[in-house]
Amino acid sequence: MSIQWTLIAGCMYTELALTFLLLLPIISPKRWHSFFKSRFLASIYKMSHVYFMVFLAVLVLVFLDAIREMHKYSGEIKSPTHGHAEHLDVEMQHHMRLFRAQRNFYISGISLFLLFVLHRLVSLISLLAVSYAELEAAMKQAKSASDAARQLLDQQDPTAASKDISAELTQLKEENKKMLAQKEAALKQAESVNREYDRLMKELATLQAKEEAVSEGGKKDK
């Protein structure tokens, strides 16, 4: 294995180890987040996007090179150009090169895949740690608010509270009396209107009777 592919294989094993560590349940996301924000990684974190893109470009290049080598040696095996005597040795060499190309393909492909997995894991762990911190802050704030409300209730004077309640009851009684008085006045007014209506109806009936009597008298005179 050449130095290039030895380094790629080393990166793959390193990525596997880091993925395994990040997936361990014994280490909380809060600890990982504090480690990511440490002084050691603070300077690296500023340029992490650039490092990620450079490493991604290198892995993509070696991955494409491995694909090219695979197609190259697989084509040579399908179309041999040597004689029968040398055919076996040449075929073994081509198979060995094809095996190396396939090995490099899997190494670079797995390294490329694990790079995205690590990037996503780090993002999710940081987000989870921030969510935990916000939840703890919200719980503390709610607890402090409930404690403050409880203290205010404990410090409140019961006599003052009873005075306020009695004042509200007195006000409600007065409003009830006013409403009853208004109701009685409305009933009296309705009764007077009803009596006036009856009187007017009687007068109307009397006038109609007189009018009928006058009209009948006029007919008799004729």
Side-chain angles (χ1 to χ4, degrees), residues 11-221:
C11 292
M12 182 189 69
Y13 294 134
T14 305
E15 289 171 348
L16 282 172
L18 290 175
T19 305
F20 179 74
L21 285 175
L22 290 174
L23 292 176
L24 286 177
I26 58 176
I27 304 176
S28 63
K30 187 176 181 180
R31 290 184 179 180
W32 279 119
H33 185 66
S34 61
F35 175 71
F36 295 152
K37 297 296 182 180
S38 62
R39 293 181 180 179
F40 175 71
L41 296 178
S43 58
I44 301 176
Y45 183 76
K46 294 179 181 178
M47 301 293 293
S48 61
H49 183 69
V50 178
Y51 297 151
F52 175 78
M53 295 303 295
V54 171
F55 192 50
L56 177 63
V58 172
L59 288 179
V60 169
L61 287 176
V62 296
F63 182 71
L64 294 176
D65 183 66
I67 294 175
R68 183 185 63 82
E69 293 290 329
M70 280 176 50
H71 284 289
K72 175 183 176 182
Y73 293 120
S74 62
E76 289 182 358
I77 291 175
K78 291 179 181 178
S79 58
T81 57
H82 299 278
H84 181 72
E86 299 178 355
H87 176 67
L88 184 60
D89 294 335
V90 172
E91 186 177 358
M92 289 180 63
Q93 290 180 1
H94 285 172
H95 278 292
M96 182 179 62
R97 291 173 182 174
L98 179 61
F99 170 75
R100 290 177 180 174
Q102 291 174 347
R103 179 200 61 193
N104 297 335
F105 168 77
Y106 289 118
I107 290 174
S108 58
I110 293 173
S111 299
L112 188 62
F113 174 73
L114 288 176
L115 180 64
F116 287 106
V117 171
L118 282 173
H119 186 267
R120 186 61 177 169
L121 277 176
V122 171
S123 301
L124 290 177
I125 288 173
S126 300
L127 182 62
L128 187 60
V130 172
S131 300
Y132 281 160
E134 291 178 353
L135 180 61
E136 290 179 358
M139 292 294 292
K140 290 180 180 178
Q141 186 176 2
K143 186 178 180 181
S144 62
S146 62
D147 293 339
R150 190 179 295 109
Q151 289 178 0
L152 288 174
L153 290 175
D154 294 337
Q155 292 176 0
Q156 189 176 6
D157 190 5
T159 57
S162 61
K163 289 180 180 179
D164 294 337
I165 293 173
S166 61
E168 290 180 358
L169 288 174
T170 305
Q171 185 178 0
L172 289 174
K173 288 180 180 179
E174 291 178 357
E175 291 179 357
N176 191 16
K177 289 180 181 179
K178 290 180 181 179
M179 291 178 66
L180 289 174
Q182 291 176 358
K183 181 180 179 181
E184 291 177 358
L187 288 174
K188 290 179 181 180
Q189 186 177 1
E191 289 177 357
S192 63
V193 170
N194 193 12
R195 286 195 298 269
E196 184 68 19
Y197 177 77
D198 292 338
R199 186 181 65 80
L200 291 174
M201 290 299 294
K202 288 179 181 179
E203 290 181 358
L204 179 62
T206 303
L207 290 174
Q208 287 179 353
K210 288 181 180 180
E211 185 179 358
E212 289 177 357
V214 171
S215 61
E216 288 178 358
K219 289 180 181 179
K220 289 179 180 181
D221 293 337

